[in-house]
Amino acid sequence: VALVTRYFGRDAADLKRLHRLLHASAELGVRVVVGVFVDADQTGAAAALELEYAPVWSDAAGAGGADVHVLRLTSSHSVSRPLNELLSYVAHNLSASEAPRTVCFASPEAAP
């Protein structure tokens, strides 16, 4: 299973919600792909997440064992372009043995 989400936070509370979503996903063993709209994000999430989860990409244990991949996206007035970029990443950047059979979409605003 892979969880795909997009993010463009305005403040620390938004970033905290994103972190809750990522930690809840890690507890379930779910791979997460986060598309951060870097030109709209005011929380510095892309850099922070890349630092926090970079060890996962090098096959080391990441933050809490989470498997989080961060994509830097530019804002678009289209819904389909960022969605296509995220799905393309899932399809082309995970090995065949890791490829998820199910891709779920979630919003950080809905995080517990």
Side-chain angles (χ1 to χ4, degrees):
V1 174
L3 176 82
V4 175
T5 190
R6 59 35 178 170
Y7 176 79
F8 49 95
R10 287 180 278 203
D11 55 32
D14 288 342
L15 188 56
K16 188 174 182 175
R17 277 190 291 278
L18 177 61
H19 275 285
R20 283 198 307 262
L21 177 66
L22 298 178
H23 290 277
S25 298
E27 289 177 10
L28 296 172
V30 173
R31 178 177 297 117
V32 180
V33 178
V34 179
V36 178
F37 290 104
V38 293
D39 53 344
D41 178 44
Q42 299 174 19
T43 64
L49 294 174
E50 288 168 349
L51 283 174
E52 184 173 355
Y53 294 103
V56 172
W57 305 329
S58 61
D59 294 329
D67 187 357
V68 176
H69 301 258
V70 180
L71 275 67
R72 291 173 176 253
L73 304 174
T74 55
S75 293
S76 149
H77 297 291
S78 161
V79 172
S80 59
R81 180 175 173 220
L83 176 63
N84 287 337
E85 288 181 42
L86 291 165
L87 288 175
S88 178
Y89 181 87
V90 170
H92 296 104
N93 291 289
L94 302 176
S95 71
S97 63
E98 297 176 326
R101 293 183 178 175
T102 304
V103 177
C104 302
F105 299 90
S107 173
E109 291 85 12

